Amino acid sequence: MNGPETPRADVVAPGPGFPPAHHQAASSTAKKPWYFRWWAITAAVLIALSVVGNLLPDEEAPVAAATEPSPTTAASSPSPTETEPAVEPEPVDTDGDGVLDDEDFAPEDPKVQTEDDVDTDKDGVADYKDDFPKNAKYSKDADGDGVADQVDDFPQDERYSKDSDGDKVADSEDDFPADPSRSKITNAMYNAIDSASSYLDYTAFSRTGLIGQLEFENYATADATFAVDYLKVNWNEQAFESAKSYLDYTSFSLQGLIDQLVFEGFTYEQASYGANKAY
């Protein structure tokens, strides 16, 4: 036999104003409001995102604003106009010589119209054709050696310009620039030079005496003469040396000594110099 149930201590009887217990249980299992359902939540999120997106600044707006001219700018820009044709300058003739400046070699000199009119030395040859534009005596230097063709014996050869004896050998290459009959020293001449130099080392000679000595040895007169002159001998000193030799050998009066030296081929002036210096 079951006795009466002891009421549970943790069960509280509802007080006044509270719904009955079975009503509370029923209410706990009742449906949730519509705004707690998943589709309602998703829709709310989408609406929120849309609102936020509209509130953000439009990134393309500044670009569009920058590229599109404002009404003020468009109004201030001048409208393009047609380019006026260039005006051709009037032709000018500064010096009044009848030749326009753009065709005039010297537009400020009425005496000069072309390059041919410029002739500084007035020799009839235009400066640009004249190798000596400031010297009226000369105008041409074909070989460019600085010597005018008029006075250049070799106008086509810049190495040479002078040929004193006219033998077609330049003075700088001519051993005999004043003798047209020869231009080179021959072997016979060189031998004569050696012989003449040896005689002078041995004793004193006059010019004619030394030439005679070489002729005695069968040198041609021309070769002997060339050799003696080639040595550039001081004949006054040769006369002095000869005078001393005579005085060492025998006695002479001053005049007698001069006469003896003249007899040997010295000129009177050379003999006087030598005798007076040795006496």
Side-chain angles (χ1 to χ4, degrees), residues 1-193:
M1 177 175 174
N2 293 331
E5 278 185 33
T6 304
R8 292 176 58 182
D10 56 348
V11 177
V12 180
F18 286 91
H22 69 275
H23 183 74
Q24 290 181 7
S27 63
S28 63
T29 59
K31 293 182 179 180
K32 295 181 180 179
W34 65 270
Y35 46 80
F36 285 111
R37 297 177 185 177
W38 68 270
W39 55 268
I41 294 173
T42 303
V45 171
L46 292 175
I47 292 171
L49 291 175
S50 176
V51 171
V52 172
N54 289 332
L55 293 177
L56 292 175
D58 190 355
E59 295 182 357
E60 296 182 357
V63 176
T67 56
E68 294 181 4
S70 65
T72 304
T73 305
S76 61
S77 300
S79 59
T81 58
E82 294 184 1
T83 304
E84 296 182 0
V87 179
E88 292 291 335
E90 292 292 331
V92 178
D93 179 12
T94 302
D95 54 15
D97 59 359
V99 180
L100 298 179
D101 285 5
D102 58 355
E103 298 178 359
D104 197 332
F105 185 75
E108 296 184 359
D109 188 346
K111 296 181 180 179
V112 178
Q113 291 83 44
T114 67
E115 194 174 9
D116 288 317
D117 297 324
V118 182
D119 180 12
T120 302
D121 56 12
K122 309 300 180 185
D123 62 353
V125 180
D127 283 4
Y128 78 97
K129 298 178 181 178
D130 196 335
D131 293 319
F132 304 90
K134 296 183 179 180
N135 189 338
K137 293 170 59 180
Y138 310 121
S139 63
K140 200 68 178 173
D141 178 16
D143 56 12
D145 61 356
V147 180
D149 288 359
Q150 294 96 318
V151 293
D152 193 339
D153 293 321
F154 303 89
Q156 303 298 325
D157 191 340
E158 72 278 3
R159 296 175 302 169
Y160 313 118
S161 62
K162 199 68 179 175
D163 178 17
S164 298
D165 56 13
D167 61 357
K168 306 302 181 183
V169 179
D171 287 1
S172 59
E173 300 289 333
D174 196 337
D175 293 326
F176 305 93
D179 186 351
S181 66
R182 52 188 177 176
S183 60
K184 293 296 179 184
I185 298 175
T186 64
N187 288 333
M189 293 174 182
Y190 279 119
N191 289 331
I193 291 171

